[in-house]
Amino acid sequence: MSTAPTLIVRNAKITTLDRQNPQAKALAITDGRYLAVGAEDEVMKLAGAGTQIIDAAKRRLIPGLIDSHIHVIRGGLNYNLELRWDGVPSLADAMRKLRDQVARTPAPQWIRVVGGFTEWQFAEKRLPTIDELNAAAPDTPVFILHLYDRALLNAAALRAVGYTRDTPNPPGGWIVKDSRGEPTGLLLAEPNALLLYSALAKGPKLPIEYQRNSTRHFMREMNRLGVTSVVDAGGGFQNYPDDYQVIEDLHASGELTLRIAYNLFTQKPKEEVSDFSNWAKLVKPGQGDAMYRHNGAGEMLVFSAADFEDFRQPRPELPAGMENELEAVVRVLVSNRWPFRLHATYDESIGRALDVFEKVNAEIPFDGLHWFFDHAETVSDRNIERIARLGGGIAIQHRMSYQGEYFIERYGAKAVERTPPYKRMLEMGVHVGAGTDATRVASYDPWNALWWLSTGKTVGGTRMYPPANLVDRETALTMYTKANAWFSNEEGAKGQIKIGQLADFALLSADYFSVPEDQIRNLVSVLTVVGGKPVYGDDEFKPLAPALPPAMPDWSPVNFGSRYYKPDREAAHAMAQASCACATSCNVHGHAHGRAVTTATDDQNGFWGALGCSCWAF
């Protein structure tokens, strides 16, 4: 190990989350870990001839944020295809973005708004109508996924997916039809969202090299928000190992800018035991390194245990045979010492799962195995006690910030006050970590989640929780950093700014601890560092981070500002876009600075020909 640090950050307001050394002014890094954290004069004494020194200009510096529940691997494969409405303040703004994207999207590509927003965030407090979508995009397929409850398809999208008057409703889904029996374009989860995701899966996909580029851009967007680590919760239509090729290639080539611990999510009903038995022969928990490692099973363990979180619908009753199926899988996991996580929204589901866990534990002791529930919006004190006795945890997300109004409409204002009761969980000694459940059910922005934890508000402005059920900003930050390391079996290795830990941090655009509460949501990072290396920079720190190639294909919404909307930063971004003087009707041929590859565009059978270039028809 070298002695002189490779990097020193000075003149900072450092929140370490280390009780023995809670505040500091400077830090030093060597070999990707913290070498020193403390007073500036002491840290600066360590500088050598090759030490890079960064002046933080008295900005707040925090440990890199860790999302304990996100679908980043799946999300990255499609990020470049998606128009993000996350954080957009009005439906008028959202529709303007959609119309702009219609003008640049070539046939037969779709425009996809895939979750991360809610109608409650809009000033108008509503979704677009199908007629509005048809007027904005008469010929371009438009697919809009709203939370876990519905999808809106314009007429062109209905033609693309092939839904007609003869298409039957799948189990748990509803293709809404008009008085003539024709599909209207509204798809409803009742309560199963498989219909929504199946329709989305019919859209064109990116070639593998574009998926690599797309994943890099999604990781960079996460870095912009100060995220340095995630625990990936798998997902439907995400098979192992096939759909992990892109992320594993990026890891092998040293291009990951997020630390990823991944869970494996069973894919076929009634084949769950086979899935996990086979996977246990292929990979072991902890296999990998500090950038990419296996983390166990879940969030889906058996399909019969899934209680869907669409609060517009009544609570689903799990089938009678669920316990036997779950027990068989949990026995495989515990026997192989696989950590596991289980999606569970309602207390009733949690209680039934705990019956199974307690039974298995009596015969095959969990004995310190890290296991936890995801979500747990309505968990009771009694079941929290049971979780604590089994040494488990609960990973919570800010889903209620997006669905709180629907919950109140169904269950009442009193019931919403502890959804989930995260402060009570902490008091009762359960491991509690925070995340987003992005990219479909809620947004990937961690600052929305941190704001929700300390204010109890929905993005529509409804205050759900009394002050007694909230946590302070430092506790919220701890839940998003140090506490989350437990959920990837990395406690003590990251989550604090502490000598010997992995050197991951974010330097913030404003002081998280002093900005007005509603300004928490506007925070971003101006410098994000992973393992001692800058992975994102803005303002005066922009030159420190390596540049990314443009998003592929060239017409991708990402190349035109699609990302989480932060009002105090979007004006500058829009000015930069407007300053481009080479705009033409074709974003491939017309923008030399924006070309993603040098592939010939005159091949009408290739992606850059018929599919990738907006002037191919001319």
Side-chain angles (χ1 to χ4, degrees):
M1 179 179 289
S2 60
T3 53
T6 53
L7 176 66
I8 286 177
V9 179
R10 57 172 291 273
N11 195 23
K13 295 189 290 186
I14 302 174
T15 297
T16 69
L17 300 182
D18 175 7
R19 290 184 178 179
Q20 277 66 52
N21 183 29
Q23 302 290 331
K25 298 293 184 184
L27 59 82
I29 297 169
T30 190
D31 295 324
R33 295 180 180 270
Y34 294 114
L35 175 68
V37 181
E40 184 167 317
D41 56 349
E42 293 299 320
V43 173
M44 289 300 294
K45 290 177 183 177
L46 302 174
T51 301
Q52 180 182 17
I53 298 174
I54 296 175
D55 184 341
K58 293 185 170 58
R59 292 183 185 266
R60 178 66 60 183
L61 189 152
I62 62 170
L65 299 176
I66 303 170
D67 191 321
S68 58
H69 185 128
I70 190 171
H71 301 273
V72 74
I73 296 175
R74 181 182 66 189
L77 300 179
N78 302 295
Y79 179 71
N80 282 1
L81 289 178
E82 296 174 0
L83 178 67
R84 304 307 306 181
W85 281 359
D86 307 46
V88 174
S90 73
L91 178 59
D93 288 330
M95 290 300 291
R96 175 182 53 78
K97 291 175 180 289
L98 188 145
R99 287 189 294 270
D100 289 347
Q101 189 59 38
V102 168
R104 62 176 76 101
T105 300
Q109 290 295 321
W110 295 17
I111 294 174
R112 311 167 213 224
V113 181
V114 186
F117 79 101
T118 172
E119 63 180 316
W120 298 102
Q121 79 192 39
F122 295 144
E124 299 89 342
K125 305 298 182 187
R126 69 174 182 87
L127 294 172
T129 66
I130 302 294
D131 286 343
E132 287 171 330
L133 296 181
N134 285 330
D139 302 310
T140 304
V142 173
F143 177 99
I144 298 176
L145 177 69
H146 181 252
L147 304 174
Y148 205 81
D149 76 312
R150 65 192 54 212
L152 306 177
L153 284 69
N154 69 345
L158 278 176
R159 292 192 295 271
V161 299
Y163 291 169
T164 69
R165 62 185 301 120
D166 299 319
T167 305
N169 292 323
W174 181 20
I175 302 171
V176 177
K177 297 176 181 176
D178 62 20
S179 58
R180 298 169 298 155
E182 298 293 338
T184 65
L186 176 61
L187 310 181
L188 295 176
E190 292 201 331
N192 193 331
L194 182 61
L195 168 64
L196 316 183
Y197 295 160
S198 297
L200 177 61
K202 295 177 183 290
K205 294 177 174 58
L206 291 172
I208 191 75
E209 65 271 23
Y210 288 48
Q211 292 178 10
R212 286 172 54 97
N213 175 278
S214 178
T215 299
R216 291 186 67 192
H217 275 274
F218 187 34
M219 290 191 296
R220 179 63 66 96
E221 168 70 346
M222 298 296 294
N223 298 151
R224 178 177 79 100
L225 299 168
V227 179
T228 58
S229 290
V230 299
V231 186
D232 186 272
F237 301 97
Q238 188 176 334
N239 290 283
Y240 183 84
D242 297 352
D243 294 321
Y244 290 71
Q245 177 187 343
V246 166
I247 205 71
E248 293 189 354
D249 287 350
L250 290 171
H251 175 236
S253 61
E255 294 176 287
L256 292 185
T257 61
L258 284 176
R259 301 187 191 277
I260 299 174
Y262 64 95
N263 286 74
L264 295 184
F265 182 115
T266 191
Q267 294 295 311
K268 294 180 181 179
K270 309 302 180 182
E271 296 185 21
E272 298 96 340
V273 170
S274 176
D275 272 346
F276 289 114
S277 297
N278 292 333
W279 288 336
K281 299 171 186 175
L282 292 177
V283 62
K284 297 187 181 303
Q287 183 173 317
D289 56 30
M291 288 303 298
Y292 181 72
R293 63 201 307 272
H294 176 50
N295 196 52
E299 66 180 291
M300 183 76 79
L301 298 182
V302 294
F303 278 81
S304 57
D307 63 348
F308 305 104
E309 68 274 17
D310 180 358
F311 297 126
R312 280 180 159 172
Q313 297 293 323
R315 177 182 64 84
E317 193 67 50
L318 301 182
M322 181 277 288
E323 283 83 353
N324 291 336
E325 295 181 0
L326 182 60
E327 180 182 342
V329 167
V330 173
R331 285 182 178 277
V332 170
L333 298 175
V334 179
S335 297
N336 285 280
R337 302 303 296 167
W338 267 46
F340 63 89
R341 63 194 306 164
L342 178 63
H343 167 110
T345 302
Y346 297 97
D347 187 59
E348 292 82 355
S349 307
I350 291 168
R352 290 177 61 179
L354 283 168
D355 292 342
V356 173
F357 298 166
E358 289 166 348
K359 179 181 179 181
V360 174
N361 178 67
E363 301 175 35
I364 314 173
F366 286 12
D367 192 23
L369 189 71
H370 287 207
W371 71 272
F372 54 97
F373 286 108
D374 283 300
H375 317 313
E377 274 84 2
T378 70
V379 66
S380 64
D381 280 8
R382 177 178 179 273
N383 281 335
I384 295 172
E385 290 175 359
R386 297 171 72 190
I387 294 167
R389 283 198 299 270
L390 276 177
I394 303 175
I396 64 169
Q397 302 81 40
H398 65 329
R399 304 189 314 178
M400 287 301 297
S401 192
Y402 289 78
Q403 298 195 63
E405 285 85 357
Y406 302 137
F407 190 96
I408 292 169
E409 183 177 309
R410 179 168 294 279
Y411 299 107
K414 187 64 178 176
V416 85
E417 290 184 355
R418 43 174 290 150
T419 53
Y422 46 87
K423 188 172 184 180
R424 184 66 175 143
M425 295 171 188
L426 292 169
E427 293 169 348
M428 296 178 71
V430 172
H431 298 283
V432 185
T436 60
D437 201 5
T439 56
R440 297 176 177 178
V441 176
S443 176
Y444 53 78
D445 178 31
W447 300 104
N448 248 357
L450 286 160
W451 168 79
W452 164 74
L453 285 166
S454 57
T455 68
K457 290 183 180 180
T458 69
V459 296
T462 300
R463 196 178 290 273
M464 296 179 288
Y465 315 142
N469 290 0
L470 302 175
V471 296
D472 59 52
R473 296 187 194 188
E474 182 171 341
T475 301
L477 182 62
T478 300
M479 293 167 69
Y480 226 100
T481 51
K482 178 184 176 183
N484 271 344
W486 183 87
F487 292 83
S488 59
N489 287 266
E490 295 175 285
E491 58 266 55
K494 62 184 181 182
Q496 300 165 279
I497 298 176
K498 184 176 182 179
I499 294 172
Q501 288 203 13
L502 295 167
D504 305 342
F505 67 79
L507 193 64
L508 302 182
S509 56
D511 193 338
Y512 166 68
F513 291 101
S514 63
V515 295
E517 66 175 28
D518 283 343
Q519 289 300 309
I520 293 173
R521 299 176 65 196
N522 291 335
L523 293 174
V524 294
S525 176
V526 293
L527 176 65
T528 304
V529 168
V530 175
K533 298 179 180 179
V535 294
Y536 174 80
D538 199 2
D539 296 344
E540 67 266 38
F541 307 101
K542 190 170 186 177
L544 298 178
L548 273 185
M552 301 163 65
D554 192 66
W555 50 265
S556 165
V558 174
N559 284 330
F560 299 89
S562 180
R563 56 183 184 174
Y564 190 94
Y565 180 90
K566 299 281 184 175
D568 57 347
R569 300 238 151 201
E570 299 312 313
H573 189 85
M575 287 180 63
Q577 291 287 334
S579 68
C580 170
C582 66
T584 75
S585 60
C586 174
N587 295 317
V588 178
H589 296 99
H591 288 268
H593 64 79
R595 291 177 187 156
V597 293
T598 57
T599 306
T601 57
D602 57 359
D603 176 7
Q604 300 304 305
N605 295 315
F607 195 86
W608 278 93
L611 303 186
C613 168
S614 57
C615 73
W616 65 275
F618 298 89

